[in-house]
Amino acid sequence: MGHPTSRSFTTAVQRDSRGRVIVPLPFDPSEAWGPKARHHITGMVGPRRVRGALSGEGTGARLVLGPAWWRDAGLADGDTVRVVLEPEGPQQDTLAPDVTAALAASPAARDFFDSLATFYRKGYMRWVDATRRRPDVRAARIAEMVELLAAGRKQRPG
């Protein structure tokens, strides 16, 4: 961890009636990492790695971990653990300037891109970045990507 956008805090782990671990966040992820429909994160909860999407919004945001995570973590109900979380995958501030400009011109595409799981964001970026030596093809791919994202497509048609 240690990324500039990572957030660290301690909390007591608790299980809900379904055996899941609920980790309430002491911060608003949209304020910390920018507004998004869904925040995909990676990090550590106590001794174990985690990745997934946050539930809830604002100061009610939380990380929900399944019963299997609880079982494998070796924690007891009420144990205090250190939590370190950060956004997962390509973020707006790490994209190439031409991609950032294209997404900024289409708020629907930008918002949908931000809501996608890392797998899909990386897939789009690999496809666009494969054209670094062909600027004309790169521009066409960026335009197509923006159209697909604005239409709510998680990935290019096969």
Side-chain angles (χ1 to χ4, degrees):
M1 300 290 101
H3 188 273
T5 59
S6 67
R7 292 296 179 116
S8 178
F9 57 96
T10 57
T11 189
V13 292
Q14 301 292 325
R15 292 175 62 180
D16 70 4
S17 62
R18 295 171 48 192
R20 303 174 306 171
V21 177
I22 309 298
V23 181
L25 276 56
F27 62 92
D28 179 345
S30 289
E31 285 182 13
W33 301 319
K36 294 182 184 174
R38 190 166 182 104
H39 288 274
H40 295 273
I41 57 88
T42 185
M44 302 287 289
V45 174
R48 309 250 331 146
R49 253 192 156 327
V50 295
R51 64 184 290 262
L54 298 178
S55 300
E57 296 178 7
T59 55
R62 62 198 178 282
L63 176 62
V64 179
L65 303 168
W69 185 92
W70 176 266
R71 180 195 66 227
D72 295 343
L75 298 171
D77 206 23
D79 280 357
T80 298
V81 295
R82 181 168 185 254
V83 179
V84 180
L85 302 176
E86 65 187 48
E88 183 180 47
Q91 303 297 311
Q92 289 285 334
D93 61 349
T94 63
L95 300 176
D98 54 351
V99 174
T100 301
L103 289 173
S106 174
R110 181 196 61 226
D111 292 348
F112 189 70
F113 180 83
D114 284 345
S115 74
L116 289 175
T118 299
F119 173 82
Y120 297 109
R121 283 182 277 153
K122 283 184 176 180
Y124 272 120
M125 296 320 306
R126 272 193 303 274
W127 179 62
V128 167
D129 288 342
T131 63
R132 286 194 191 265
R133 294 187 181 161
R134 300 178 305 173
D136 56 325
V137 175
R138 180 176 176 87
R141 285 193 182 179
I142 291 171
E144 183 180 347
M145 176 187 77
V146 169
E147 285 178 28
L148 291 168
L149 290 168
R153 300 290 304 262
K154 287 184 177 182
Q155 57 189 15
R156 293 182 318 105

